[in-house]
Every structure is written in structure tokens, then in C-alpha cells.
Amino acid sequence: MAHGLGGHPAGDMASKLAINVLLSLVLGTSDWILRFDSQSDFERVIERTRQRFIETSRVMTAESQANPELRGFGTTLTMAASVGHDLFVAHVGDTRAYVFRGGKLQQLTTDHTYAQELFEAGVLDDKSAGAAWLKSRVTRLLGDSSKSCEPDIQTLRLEHGDTLLICSDGLCDMVDDASIAGVLAAGQPAEAACATWCGT
């Protein structure tokens, strides 16, 4: 899930470019790791993921520098991939990954925003004036050389019945966790669940 920054030039192009570059890097890998035979395989997957985020950001930065109309564009990116029962989640920005397990919704990612940093420091809470404004100010993203593109990467051992949700703030800022959990608990196919949130 990539979400181009709203209000920035070519945000839609930024998100599409990020996904295209990332897919190209993955498909161009000559020695895919399809199972873990050692700890080093596990570590290689994490390092490859990190390098792909950095390379994607580098390509985007070069594109924006070559085209003045794209100056300042950027995107968030949250991705997940599984190797057997091991799930890898890599994340930059404020798009999110959740797992719905045993009737409970758990947020896997932590937003890279100024608001989140201030929440963690105890300076700000959700009810504070300006919290909503600060939530939209990301501290990490792809394509903007002035910000870090270093992804958070985590692993999760999947269990039978787990449901994974990756979404932008267009969902998680507008729909509360209980409502999201209620839709996922119904066990609908992904398309039907999305239609529920879209009201279609």
C-alpha cells in the first residue's frame, strides 16, 4: 500500500512509481528465498527488504530531480510478504498494517509522524489541539531526500485464521478500530469488506 502525499505535486504518480519500482526489484531477484534453512536466510530477507525501500526512494528522488513538475513528491509505503508461516511487514510513513486474530484487531505498524513522536514523548495526546494537523506531517517517506526512508521491518508468526489489513489513513482516521474489527470478523472476501467501508 502506497499513499502519495496529499497536497504535494503528483502524489498519485509517486505512489504508482514506488509500487512499480519495488515490484521490479523483487521480480529481478535472481535467488528468491522461499523457505528458511538458516538464520542467515531470515536476515537476508530483512536486509533485502531494507535495501529495496532505499533503492525505491533513490529512483523516485532521481525522477523528481529530472522533472521540475515532480519536485517534492513522495509517498508512504507499507508492504507485507510471507515466507511459509513467517510474515514480514516493512513500513515507512503513516499507512498501516493490522492483523485481526482471535477476534481482536492489533496494529502492527507505528506511524512515522510528528504527532506520534510527541505522543510517545508524552507531550501530546489525541485530544490536543493540533493533533490532527501533526498526524498528517510524516517524518519518513520515499522520494523526498530531506526525510528518512529507513523502513521499520518486523516479523510475525502467522496463525490459522489470521486476517491481514493494510490501509491508508483514509480508512483508519475515518473508521474506528471496533468498526474495522466488526467487518473483519464477518469473514467476507477482501472485495466485499472494502465495499462495506466504502458504503457500496
Side-chain angles (χ1 to χ4, degrees):
M1 159 70 69
H3 186 211
L5 273 78
H8 285 251
D12 187 51
M13 183 178 291
S15 58
K16 288 178 181 177
L17 179 59
I19 291 173
N20 288 338
V21 172
L22 183 63
L23 283 175
S24 178
L25 291 171
V26 171
L27 294 174
T29 303
S30 59
D31 58 338
W32 285 23
I33 298 172
L34 301 177
R35 67 180 187 184
F36 296 131
D37 293 321
S38 66
Q39 179 64 25
S40 64
D41 289 337
F42 193 86
E43 292 168 355
R44 282 171 66 203
V45 169
I46 292 176
E47 181 57 23
R48 283 180 177 181
T49 301
R50 177 180 170 275
Q51 290 298 331
R52 286 168 181 158
F53 268 62
I54 292 171
E55 178 61 13
T56 298
S57 187
R58 187 197 66 76
V59 171
M60 293 178 65
T61 299
E63 185 77 15
S64 69
Q65 290 174 344
N67 185 346
E69 293 182 3
L70 301 180
R71 291 287 168 85
F73 85 159
T75 186
T76 66
L77 181 65
T78 301
M79 60 153 285
S82 62
V83 178
H85 291 289
D86 292 297
L87 180 73
F88 290 79
V89 177
H91 160 69
V92 166
D94 62 355
T95 42
R96 294 180 179 178
Y98 294 85
V99 65
F100 182 70
R101 173 182 292 175
K104 295 182 180 179
L105 185 69
Q106 176 188 352
Q107 184 177 333
L108 300 176
T109 54
T110 300
D111 295 344
H112 297 142
T113 64
Y114 288 112
Q116 183 64 38
E117 290 182 358
L118 292 173
F119 294 156
E120 292 173 1
V123 175
L124 190 68
D125 62 55
D126 280 321
K127 305 272 193 275
S128 297
W133 181 80
L134 289 169
K135 281 182 180 179
S136 67
R137 300 301 184 265
V138 295
T139 55
R140 297 191 214 175
L141 59 96
L142 303 182
D144 184 342
S145 58
S146 70
K147 295 185 184 294
S148 171
C149 63
E150 187 73 25
D152 287 345
I153 303 172
Q154 60 181 294
T155 61
L156 178 73
R157 188 71 174 173
L158 292 170
E159 297 180 3
H160 180 71
D162 283 352
T163 299
L164 183 69
L165 170 67
I166 299 178
C167 65
S168 73
D169 56 2
L171 176 65
C172 55
D173 279 359
M174 303 299 292
V175 181
D176 61 76
D177 285 0
S179 298
I180 293 173
V183 171
L184 296 179
Q188 303 176 88
E191 185 175 354
C194 290
T196 300
W197 286 314
C198 293
T200 60

